[in-house]
Amino acid sequence: MQDESVLMRQLRRFGFESKAWAMRRFHCPVNPDALVLEVGSGGNPYPRANVLLDAYETTRERHWAPLSADRPTVLGFVENLPFRDQVFDFVIAAHVLEHSTQPEQFLSELQRVARAGYIEVPDAFLERVNPYRDHRLEITCRDNTLLIWKKPSWRPEKDIVELYEDRVKSVMTRSLVPRHPFEFHVRYYWENKIAYRVINPEVDAAWAPPESAPHGGVAGGVRAQVRDFLRWGLSQRRRNASIVLDPLLRCPTCLGESLTRSSELIVCAQCNTVYPVRRGIPVMNEGAAA
């Protein structure tokens, strides 16, 4: 599977690493008729994704930026995806795996609903020295295998982090990482099977993150407008508008596939769980007994 477009390779060849990094969001090695899911799509989904899934309409973990729902969108958890088996050709999971407390279940679900996909995360080294308060995992890739460490706390190596912050953080975050983003991130393409190993499965990563002040969300301005225009122009707008979600969905409570939908509710005929539909978005992580 081609992990870089021709344009990306040429930009990297001539030293334009940051430009090539920006172009990665427009690279999806699938046929035009492939059905693509993006999980953890947030406020800036990949243009090629046809169906979006996120856990929340707004959350601190994406700095309170509003959810973008410019194509068929579902609310649900990746660890229990509300989709039928193998209904997608490709699934994108960019900067979302590291938030999971259950990486085994997360990766199992990706493989269940799709035949291939792409995973992108900060590399374990960057996460170790420059940790994020909502990241539960450190992840790297060796020999085409994801190696995953569960974090026992948001900042497990406090002394190292303090030294890093005192001496080199400004250089890393303002210069080194922006100029060499490929070296500080994992980009993992898979087909049929995700090769991975959880190094410390006994660790409980479900700790409470420290509080933080609300963030103003994604910055606006010309750059954001250009980003949104490119996403709009490069997406499969007509096709996305014609996609019907109902044949793709299943009940995350009983795994049944017989669902009845109205304008405000989805009801599972098998277990009678009722899921709300808000502004046309099925909320499949808020089921209640009928």
Side-chain angles (χ1 to χ4, degrees), residues 127 131-132 135-138 149-154 156 205 207:
E127 183 64 36
Y132 284 78
H135 289 182
R136 312 307 180 110
L137 307 174
E138 296 173 345
W149 289 266
K150 292 184 176 182
K151 294 168 60 175
S153 64
W154 83 274
W207 34 265

Side-chain angles (χ1 to χ4, degrees), residues 181-283:
F182 289 89
E183 282 68 34
F184 291 97
H185 293 84
V186 172
R187 301 180 67 244
Y188 180 83
Y189 285 91
W190 61 273
E191 192 168 5
N192 299 320
K193 183 179 180 181
I194 300 173
Y196 74 93
R197 182 158 58 97
V198 179
I199 306 301
N200 55 348
E202 73 283 355
V203 170
D204 182 6
W207 34 265
E211 293 297 326
S212 64
H215 190 281
V218 176
V222 175
R223 185 174 181 178
Q225 292 175 0
V226 171
R227 178 202 68 196
D228 293 345
F229 176 77
L230 287 173
R231 188 178 71 224
W232 176 83
L234 295 173
S235 66
Q236 295 184 328
R237 300 187 308 279
R238 291 185 180 179
R239 181 188 181 196
N240 294 344
S242 67
I243 292 174
V244 179
L245 284 173
D246 296 19
L248 307 177
L249 296 175
R250 80 172 190 182
C251 174
T253 301
C254 73
L255 313 185
E257 297 181 354
S258 181
L259 304 176
T260 302
R261 179 172 178 173
S262 67
S263 60
E264 297 181 354
L265 296 172
I266 291 178
V267 181
C268 176
Q270 189 166 319
C271 68
N272 292 323
T273 301
V274 178
Y275 302 95
V277 177
R278 291 199 291 262
R279 293 180 292 280
I281 299 175
V283 184

Side-chain angles (χ1 to χ4, degrees), residues 6 9 25 40 44 58 73 103 113 134 136 147-148 150 155 164 167 181 187 199 210 217 232 245 253 283:
V6 173
R9 288 198 298 272
R25 295 184 59 84
N44 184 27
T58 183
T73 302
V113 303
D134 292 303
R136 312 307 180 110
L147 301 182
I148 302 171
K150 292 184 176 182
R155 192 168 59 167
Y164 160 81
R167 303 293 297 176
R187 301 180 67 244
I199 306 301
W232 176 83
L245 284 173
T253 301
V283 184

